[in-house]
Amino acid sequence: MARGDLIAPIAVSDTGDIQALVTAGFGSLTAACFLMLRVAEATAAKAWLAGVQVATVADLGKDKPPLTQVVQVALTSDGLAALGLDPAIIAQFAPEFVRGLARDASRSRRLGDVGDSAPAHWHWGSGDRTPHLAVLLYASDAGALTALEAATEAGLGGGFSIVTRLHTANFAGREPFGFMDGISQPSLDWQGRHQPGSDHYANTIAAGEVLIGYPNEYGRIADRPLLPGEHTLPAAIDDPGWGDLGRNGSYLVHRELAQDVRGFWRWVGREAPDAALPLAEAMVGRRIDGQPLAGLATHAIAGEPRPDSNGFTYDADRDGMICPHGGHIRRSNPRNGDFPVPPRNIFERAADILGLRGKPEADAIASARFHRLLRRGREYGQWLDREAALDQDAPDPQSGINFLCLGASIGRQFEFVQGAWCESAKFGGGSGESDPLLGSRAPFPDEQATDGFTRGCPAGRRLRHDGVPRFVTVKGGAYFLLPGVKALRFIAS
Ligand code: HEM
């Protein structure tokens, strides 16, 4: 096999080398804190990295006792450089990771990081507040977390300075607007049985969509640093004579997203005085209790462990009358909503069969399966109930999501979903709209508005809302590598 060849799916065996975040969000560990660090003294920093105990996928085995605390470690490209890794090696990682989240105005524009969300306003993640390292700490309760945090910070020695500590909150599975969150997640093909490409929406994706160094949905392994004759690293699957610095790692996108909970519920209340909740649910694309919107039939989907809450496609809703094309979940995972228009009559069907209308799509869900995200976020701040938010004297607690997602391609996964789908003014054939939750609402350069939202209503008409305010503001963020354990030790060496 030569590098660049198509590679058949392969089972993932070295689970002891993969940080546990790849398979778990650690829901039973309800307290979490994310430390953002910069290298102050490289030798001491490396000594800490050489010894830090990170939980791995192997620690989550069925025969293993439940974890009572977890430490995970991720590094930015600036961090790799500060630890002295050869720039020529760093340059072989994905370009988005190498460049970072906040360095380019064009990237910020595409992601909607403009106005109040521009990196210049962030409290971490840009300039000299770009972290080198994220240490993710999880514990069973607040007391245990405080102890873990204190022990971790004490152990850092003089190796690091702290940019910020991001404390999280536990809203029992709800995000701050009040919707159940963390429901729809792709399943990874750990056994190497999944054949990419299908005309049915499936929830299973190739391991290489999340794990670097494994074949992805294209049957290829993405570029990553390969080191000649390096034996402390896992061998490259497509070139076993080489050590693979990426293998068993994943890219981790972290964005601190502040939510205007009062603004959200007050706006939907003004816009739809008798039906504020249905409007909010249409904006999300799900009911507030997490169930699919009424009318989206639930059925079995390959690789979907939660058919009751997530066994639906948009087959029965091509025109977006039930779940608006522009709704948050339909934008961020259109499932089979991008199916081509089916033949409308017997002549078109015959033309399809003869291949006269172009080849019938062999892979109709391609647009979804290349852009799945494994979300691992946590809420932060103070809870504000939606009824309380309507009260004129309601407090304005700061709350939001520490949005974390994993993927083997930041560009094809997070950046595509955020930029081409959520921020797009024309997604799903719409016009002048953006994601009703996330959209920056900044007009496109040609002055095109992005603050509209269109939904179906029970009378069978379409309702258009204009002037949707911005509800989510970015406060910080960075692109990290969540390395395999052997890669982590190599970086520390
Ligand atoms: C404050 C910001 C956000 C809020 C309040 C929010 C809220 C939600 C909610 C309530 C759901 C439905 C429940 C579920 O399936 O888990 C959801 C799903 C989802 N969100 Fe977000 N989200 C936010 C940011 C983002 C961002 C930044 C992205 C990616 C760019 C994203 C991508 C997704 C995806 C991929 C799904 C699953 C869609 C599906 O498969 O049906 N979200 N989000």
Side-chain angles (χ1 to χ4, degrees):
M1 176 191 325
R3 279 184 220 169
D5 279 357
L6 288 181
I7 301 171
I10 182 169
V12 181
S13 53
D14 31 5
T15 52
D17 197 41
I18 301 171
Q19 295 202 52
L21 193 65
V22 172
T23 44
F26 316 117
S28 61
L29 302 179
T30 53
C33 170
F34 307 139
L35 303 180
M36 296 296 153
L37 309 177
R38 277 178 79 85
V39 173
E41 203 282 305
T43 308
K46 285 187 187 184
W48 184 81
L49 276 177
V52 62
Q53 289 304 310
V54 293
T56 68
V57 172
D59 297 325
L60 301 171
K62 286 201 177 69
D63 51 337
K64 297 285 167 64
L67 296 174
T68 54
Q69 63 177 47
V70 165
V71 177
Q72 303 282 271
V73 173
L75 301 107
T76 57
S77 59
D78 286 13
L80 295 177
L83 291 166
L85 193 66
D86 182 345
I89 296 179
I90 299 174
Q92 295 174 51
F93 280 108
E96 305 82 23
F97 166 74
V98 175
R99 195 69 188 145
L101 171 61
R103 208 162 265 137
D104 298 318
S106 74
R107 168 167 287 112
S108 297
R109 179 70 194 80
R110 277 184 284 120
L111 299 179
D113 296 349
V114 293
D116 290 347
S117 290
H121 302 298
W122 294 359
H123 75 106
W124 67 277
S126 79
D128 60 7
R129 296 187 63 75
T130 303
H132 290 157
L133 210 72
V135 181
L136 315 180
L137 305 174
Y138 301 85
S140 47
D141 57 44
L145 180 68
T146 307
L148 176 61
E149 208 181 321
T152 305
E153 289 189 21
L156 293 175
F160 299 95
S161 61
I162 296 180
V163 179
T164 187
R165 300 172 180 87
L166 301 172
H167 285 103
T168 68
N170 174 19
F171 299 153
R174 294 182 186 268
E175 52 71 39
F177 293 143
F179 285 76
M180 289 305 291
D181 200 3
I183 301 167
S184 179
Q185 298 276 30
S187 300
L188 244 64
D189 174 31
W190 291 89
Q191 280 80 35
R193 293 191 193 127
H194 161 76
Q195 291 300 331
S198 161
D199 57 358
H200 296 292
Y201 173 75
N203 199 45
T204 308
I205 53 170
E209 287 297 298
V210 173
L211 285 175
I212 303 169
Y214 289 84
N216 58 23
E217 285 286 324
Y218 291 99
R220 297 190 191 280
I221 301 184
D223 290 343
R224 71 286 181 206
L226 297 181
L227 309 183
E230 180 49 62
H231 297 299
T232 62
L233 291 172
I237 286 173
D238 50 351
D239 208 342
W242 295 64
D244 187 336
L245 189 57
R247 183 164 165 193
N248 296 329
S250 186
Y251 293 111
L252 171 69
V253 174
H254 185 158
R255 286 162 69 83
E256 184 183 331
L257 304 175
Q259 294 175 238
D260 180 4
V261 178
R262 288 194 319 182
F264 179 82
W265 287 109
R266 288 175 186 184
W267 182 80
V268 293
R270 278 197 306 276
E271 202 67 12
D274 302 323
L277 185 58
L279 169 56
E281 291 179 330
M283 291 162 77
V284 172
R286 267 193 192 269
R287 280 175 25 196
I288 197 163
D289 62 5
Q291 286 304 303
L293 292 175
L296 290 180
T298 53
H299 50 83
I301 289 178
E304 176 51 67
R306 304 169 78 172
D308 291 348
S309 54
N310 207 32
F312 64 91
T313 60
Y314 300 113
D315 255 349
D317 186 32
R318 284 168 189 269
D319 54 6
M321 292 303 279
I322 300 173
C323 181
H325 289 124
H328 173 63
I329 70 159
R330 195 156 177 170
R331 279 179 183 263
S332 51
N333 178 14
R335 302 182 183 222
N336 62 348
D338 268 7
F339 265 144
V341 178
R344 278 161 295 197
N345 52 48
I346 190 169
F347 303 108
E348 286 187 357
R349 176 169 287 280
D352 267 357
I353 292 167
L354 295 171
L356 300 177
R357 287 210 311 157
K359 196 172 176 303
E361 282 65 19
D363 184 5
I365 49 93
S367 69
R369 71 187 171 92
F370 293 122
H371 309 291
R372 300 297 307 275
L373 306 177
L374 195 56
R375 292 171 296 142
R376 293 289 185 238
R378 292 257 172 160
E379 305 80 40
Y380 69 86
Q382 299 292 313
W383 176 256
L384 178 65
D385 205 62
R386 74 188 151 99
E387 274 85 28
L390 297 174
D391 186 341
Q392 279 317 303
D393 301 323
D396 188 11
Q398 302 299 301
S399 60
I401 293 181
N402 272 301
F403 176 85
L404 271 68
C405 75
L406 294 172
S409 169
I410 296 175
R412 179 160 60 77
Q413 294 168 315
F414 167 71
E415 288 196 347
F416 187 90
V417 172
Q418 172 76 34
W421 284 348
C422 295
E423 275 292 305
S424 166
K426 294 191 185 300
F427 181 85
S431 159
E433 308 198 356
S434 59
D435 187 302
L437 301 189
L438 300 181
S440 68
R441 318 287 182 241
F444 273 21
D446 59 0
E447 311 271 304
Q448 182 184 180
T450 65
D451 62 355
F453 175 62
T454 306
R455 61 176 169 134
C457 68
R461 289 180 295 113
R462 278 181 206 280
L463 268 178
R464 166 88 176 188
H465 302 269
D466 286 304
V468 184
R470 176 170 206 156
F471 301 120
V472 169
T473 307
V474 188
K475 297 290 185 185
Y479 290 158
F480 295 94
L481 172 73
L482 184 83
V485 178
K486 288 178 183 152
L488 184 63
R489 304 298 182 224
F490 174 83
I491 292 161
S493 70

